[in-house]
Amino acid sequence: MGLAPARGKINLALQGGGAHGSFTWGVLDRLLQDPRIELEGLSGSSAGAMNAVVLADGWMKGGREGARQALTDFWTAIGKNMPASMVTQGQGDGIGLNAAAKMMVNMAGYFSPTQLNPFDLNPLRDLLVRTIDFAELRMHSPFKLFVGTTQANTGKLRVFRESELSAEVLLASACLPKLHHAVQIDGEPYWDGGYSANPAVFPLFYDCDSRDVLLVLLSPLRREGTPTNVDDIEARITELGFNANFMREMRMFVHAREFAGPALIPAGRLERRLRNLRFHMIDSHDLTSMQRTDTKLLAHGPFLERLHGQGRERADEWLAENASGIGRRSTVDVKKWFA
């Protein structure tokens, strides 16, 4: 029996999370293999933005297979940045940073980037410039792109469109201020987009025709157990901070759809769009490899490949269970998770 056709295009909202973004690589790799999945808009912050732009650049150069290869090349290059001497391997999914690597990360909390890296050296910049044709992408992007950044002096979200893309825009979207210099764009300093949107969903609602939004989430919507030691509490506080704006935005969509009322009541353009909005979700719940926040810094090839495989598995499960819902219905209970 053949695959049931999906109806129409979908939009992707891609969460950031450092090395955990390789889970999204796996999700996208599997989605790109399915001819039923057509894309219109992609929104992301940090690693989510990297995945979105790399995918679009690869598609522009070589279609679906070009996009898959571009993502593979990008994450393979990322995985070569961390030497094996900084990694420790425990039982099962117990891979992580070793004591020396953790000490280096902790030291970053006591020094500014101008002290630790006065010349603003960033191998990611070299990789982006080498692999992505930003000039061509600005003119001929195959998709609508929305890259979230945070204006450091005001805290405001700025979403860059495909016509504004550059290596600096992507670096700004992934700029952790304890590790990197603020990225200057048009005379303004920018930090990681996750501080103000992780990711921004509203552009997919207002600027795209498709009413289907697939959320690809890296942070669990619920964690079991409450942290008690200082390190775990600090990690959870950071995670909550990065998720707060996304959770608030999704809550707004839930209540706005309820306010729009049932289809029998006459409505304006905004109400009709809200009524037709359909959400879907692929997340990383129950994956022990992504439970520890310190592994977001684990840019180690074998770890990234493991998350890629897990992302593919989750996407495969989602396609089997929910692809037929595209264009017809939401396949996730957003009120349960976000209201």
Side-chain angles (χ1 to χ4, degrees):
M1 181 181 296
L3 294 173
R7 291 185 174 183
K9 296 182 178 181
I10 65 171
N11 301 310
L12 302 180
L14 308 179
Q15 204 166 57
H20 290 183
S22 55
F23 173 87
T24 304
W25 163 33
V27 170
L28 297 175
D29 189 37
R30 179 63 186 91
L31 294 179
L32 287 166
Q33 283 186 302
D34 194 317
R36 297 173 297 174
I37 301 300
E38 299 182 27
L39 305 177
E40 181 184 2
L42 295 86
S43 178
S45 292
S46 194
M50 300 285 175
N51 276 316
V53 174
V54 170
L55 183 154
D57 181 67
W59 187 296
M60 179 182 67
K61 295 171 181 175
R64 289 179 181 270
E65 289 305 312
R68 293 184 65 211
Q69 189 61 53
L71 287 165
T72 297
D73 292 345
F74 176 79
W75 283 102
T76 299
I78 292 292
K80 294 178 180 178
N81 287 331
M82 178 170 286
S85 59
M86 298 179 67
V87 178
T88 182
Q89 178 68 59
Q91 296 293 323
D93 287 327
I95 191 170
L97 300 173
N98 63 23
K102 289 181 179 179
M103 183 179 69
M104 292 175 61
V105 172
N106 290 334
M107 285 180 59
Y110 297 96
F111 299 93
S112 72
T114 55
Q115 293 171 307
L116 288 176
N117 185 9
F119 298 106
D120 194 19
L121 302 177
N122 190 338
L124 182 57
R125 177 185 288 109
D126 299 333
L127 174 61
L128 294 173
V129 171
R130 185 171 68 250
T131 58
I132 297 176
D133 189 342
F134 287 101
E136 189 69 14
L137 198 56
R138 285 192 293 269
M139 295 185 294
H140 302 295
S141 175
F143 312 114
K144 298 174 183 177
L145 299 174
F146 308 92
V147 175
T149 65
T150 303
Q151 209 286 322
N153 293 345
T154 65
K156 291 182 179 180
L157 168 68
R158 177 174 176 182
V159 177
F160 288 87
R161 291 296 306 270
E162 62 275 9
S163 59
E164 305 171 288
L165 286 178
S166 67
E168 297 309 302
V169 167
L170 280 186
L171 291 171
S173 187
C175 177
L176 295 174
K178 288 187 177 182
L179 299 177
H180 305 292
H181 295 247
V183 178
Q184 298 288 328
I185 301 175
D186 299 329
E188 296 287 347
Y190 289 90
W191 285 350
D192 196 300
Y195 292 117
S196 52
N198 191 28
V201 180
F202 70 88
L204 302 174
F205 174 75
Y206 288 108
D207 297 329
C208 295
D209 295 325
S210 172
R211 299 277 60 95
D212 288 85
V213 177
L214 172 57
L215 309 170
V216 182
L217 306 184
L218 303 180
S219 295
L221 294 174
R222 177 182 176 86
R223 284 194 180 277
E224 299 301 327
T226 304
T228 56
N229 66 56
V230 173
D231 289 342
D232 289 345
I233 291 172
E234 184 65 32
R236 183 59 175 154
I237 289 173
T238 300
E239 185 176 61
L240 290 173
F242 269 88
N243 287 344
N245 287 295
F246 168 71
M247 297 294 290
R248 189 179 302 114
E249 185 180 7
M250 289 301 301
R251 181 182 176 89
M252 180 275 295
F253 276 117
V254 171
H255 290 303
R257 288 206 305 176
E258 291 179 343
F259 183 79
L264 296 177
I265 299 176
R269 179 167 174 259
L270 179 60
E271 287 83 0
R272 290 195 300 271
R273 290 174 71 90
L274 284 166
R275 289 172 182 174
N276 293 328
L277 185 59
R278 296 174 291 271
F279 282 107
H280 316 276
M281 185 172 74
I282 298 174
D283 71 342
S284 59
H285 71 276
D286 297 334
L287 291 182
T288 57
S289 55
M290 298 176 67
Q291 291 299 307
R292 301 204 326 272
T293 56
D294 65 305
T295 56
K296 292 180 180 181
L297 299 175
L298 194 59
H300 181 56
F303 179 67
L304 302 183
E305 291 168 8
R306 177 184 300 174
L307 295 191
H308 166 264
Q310 292 172 332
R312 279 189 59 90
E313 290 177 6
R314 285 291 164 90
D316 196 52
E317 293 169 0
W318 182 83
L319 286 167
E321 297 174 7
N322 300 304
S324 61
I326 297 173
R328 296 179 173 89
R329 65 184 186 278
S330 291
T331 59
V332 62
D333 185 351
V334 290
K335 187 173 183 178
K336 169 187 173 181
W337 290 111
F338 302 108

